[in-house]
């Protein structure tokens, strides 16, 4: 049985081409509808209940996250499509959401369809996570812990450090959070130049480091938190290239 | 050349070449080939070629001639019109200008922001770009049709980038440039 799909793109030609590519190269996909704006998309998706939705990120009147926000539940798989939107793509990658670039590469399209249909079930949380990052312009980063999803203000973070289970995030108020993501994955979504990655296991908010108290093998932070570190890591934080 | 100005020239060129717009042009080429519109595909390819060359030609000095900039602007507008078809109209007045040197990447980002602000309201976008030369220098007026005056955030960055370029230019050059905004009308004055 085929997979029902819906296409959202504000350019008619792009909608037609994607439909044609799917019909030719992904024959298991049956395009049941297409729309070019937010209101029509919301109405049609509700009515048609497709299994897969292709969403152009940037629409004339806004972005496709506005479509998702108007739906009570996301009960379909999503493949985002964009011409070039570096920041949105960073957020989507971090959230584990599939994204294709225009002009569409046929191999990538086939791979994306196979991937989302063979591993269904990306949660509403993934879209909430990507949207939160984009809307805050990456000043708030999502952390999924055993207790749920949190958005941490990057100004409240002292450092990210590798942990056996992922990454330990130390906050200014003394709290810590543990995420399954790796330090380098957080580095990809931190756009602030206040943060310095020292090797692959540590990323530090340099604004929170007290240079005068920092020792050869220990970083000292503004709230008196101390972090043991290798001398080369300390050196990299204190004297970034 | 003054380093800050040189860095800003390169940043402005990178912002254009790596822009959403340029990848959309490539997408248009693919779309037209795949739908059998070979002639239109070649036309868009030709526009892409001209715009890319213009961007690269200006990278060394950050300067262009007014005539070239006007042609570049027209190529940009034609490709956006081909993309959005009946949803967009533009008027360049006069059709041709013969002017000396001016800094590149000041006019086009403003026009792009105005085009997309006008498209965002859902009616047919109407953008008018007028050039006037008077005793005070050159005046470029860019008027859109978005009466709500809200530029989509992504294109608001164009305005911010141009303001920064003008700031750096004015710090280092004797002939100042100004940008004023009044509703959906933006005026660039160059006293070159």
């Amino acid at each position: 049985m085929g997979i029902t799909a819906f296409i959202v793109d504000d350019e008619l030609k792009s909608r037609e081409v994607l439909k044609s590519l799917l019909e030719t190269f992904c024959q298991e996909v049956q395009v049941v509808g297409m729309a070019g704006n937010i209101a029509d998309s919301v109405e049609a998706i509700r009515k048609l209940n497709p299994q897969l939705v292709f969403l152009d990120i940037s629409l004339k009147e806004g972005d496709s996250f506005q479509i998702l926000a108007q739906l009570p539940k996301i009960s379909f798989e999503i493949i985002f499509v964009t011409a070039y939107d570096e920041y949105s793509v960073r957020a989507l990658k971090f959230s584990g959401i599939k994204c294709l670039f225009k002009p569409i590469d046929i191999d990538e399209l086939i791979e994306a369809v196979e991937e989302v249909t063979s591993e269904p079930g990306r949660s509403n949380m993934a879209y909430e996570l990507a949207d939160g990052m984009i809307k805050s312009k990456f000043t708030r980063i999502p952390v999924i812990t055993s207790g749920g999803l949190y958005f941490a203000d990057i100004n409240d973070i002292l450092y990210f450090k590798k942990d056996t289970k992922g990454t330990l995030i130390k906050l200014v108020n003394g709290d810590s959070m543990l995420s399954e993501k790796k330090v380098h994955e957080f580095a990809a979504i931190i756009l602030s130049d206040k943060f310095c990655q020292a090797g692959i296991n540590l990323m530090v908010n340099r604004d929170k480091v007290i240079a005068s108290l920092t020792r050869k093998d220990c970083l000292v932070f503004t709230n008196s938190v101390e972090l043991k570190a290798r001398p080369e890591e300390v050196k990299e934080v204190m004297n970034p290239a | 050349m003054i380093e800050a100005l040189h860095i800003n020239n390169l940043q402005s060129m990178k912002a254009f070449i790596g822009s959403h717009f340029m990848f959309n042009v490539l997408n248009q080429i693919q779309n037209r080939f795949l739908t059998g519109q070979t002639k239109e595909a070649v036309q868009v390819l030709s526009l892409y070629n001209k715009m890319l060359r213009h961007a690269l030609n200006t990278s060394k000095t950050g300067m262009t001639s007014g005539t070239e900039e006007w042609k570049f602007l027209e190529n940009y507008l034609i490709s956006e019109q081909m993309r959005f078809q009946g949803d967009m109209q533009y008027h360049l007045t006069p059709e041709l200008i013969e002017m000396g040197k001016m800094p590149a990447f000041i006019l086009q980002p403003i026009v792009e922001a105005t085009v997309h602000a006008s498209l965002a309201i859902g009616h047919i976008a109407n953008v008018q770009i007028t050039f006037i030369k008077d005793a005070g220098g050159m005046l470029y007026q860019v008027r859109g049709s978005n009466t709500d005056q809200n530029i989509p955030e992504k294109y608001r960055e164009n305005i911010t980038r141009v303001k920064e370029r003008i700031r750096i230019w004015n710090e280092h050059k004797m002939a100042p440039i100004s940008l004023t905004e009044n509703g959906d009308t933006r005026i660039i004055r160059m006293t070159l």
Side-chain angles (χ1 to χ4, degrees), chain A residues 22-172:
Chain A
L22 287 166
E23 282 167 357
T24 311
F25 299 101
C26 306
Q27 290 177 0
E28 72 277 26
V29 177
Q30 184 202 348
V31 178
V32 291
M34 304 194 286
N37 62 49
I38 293 171
D40 291 350
S41 303
V42 172
E43 194 188 331
I45 291 170
R46 276 184 164 158
K47 192 175 153 194
L48 298 168
N49 198 20
Q51 293 164 292
L52 173 61
V53 176
F54 289 87
L55 283 178
D56 182 16
I57 296 177
S58 180
L59 302 170
K60 271 187 263 183
E61 22 162 11
D63 64 53
S64 51
F65 286 100
Q66 290 170 255
I67 296 170
L68 301 182
Q70 289 180 43
L71 294 167
K73 190 170 181 277
I74 299 162
S75 54
F76 45 83
E77 298 304 314
I78 299 175
I79 297 176
F80 282 91
V81 185
T82 184
Y84 182 74
D85 202 333
E86 188 191 348
Y87 295 152
S88 301
V89 171
R90 283 183 192 217
L92 294 172
K93 276 188 180 168
F94 185 86
S95 315
I97 300 168
K98 208 71 202 162
C99 187
L100 290 172
F101 290 100
K102 292 179 186 177
I104 290 172
D105 180 286
I106 292 158
D107 291 336
E108 288 176 9
L109 173 67
I110 296 168
E111 190 188 315
V113 169
E114 280 176 0
E115 200 175 303
V116 296
T117 51
S118 63
E119 296 170 25
R122 276 162 190 77
S123 63
N124 279 27
M125 190 189 275
Y127 305 111
E128 193 186 327
L129 202 132
D131 191 32
M133 270 186 276
I134 294 164
K135 295 276 184 329
S136 75
K137 294 184 176 173
F138 296 87
T139 57
R140 293 168 73 236
I141 56 139
V143 185
I144 303 169
T145 69
S146 54
L149 169 66
Y150 296 93
F151 277 94
D153 189 317
I154 59 166
N155 293 313
D156 295 336
I157 296 171
L158 295 180
Y159 61 81
F160 298 82
K161 191 177 188 329
K162 185 187 172 188
D163 182 271
T164 48
K165 289 178 182 170
T167 299
L168 178 90
I169 302 158
K170 190 76 177 171
L171 303 177
V172 172

Side-chain angles (χ1 to χ4, degrees), chain B residues 16 39 47 70 85 97 111-112 115 117 125 131 141 148 161 172 176 182 186:
Chain B
F16 177 72
K39 194 178 160 191
L47 290 168
W70 211 240
Q85 298 176 333
I97 61 171
V111 173
E112 184 178 29
V115 165
F131 168 78
Q141 180 179 273
D148 293 342
R161 202 167 59 240
H172 297 97
N182 181 11
R186 290 161 195 94

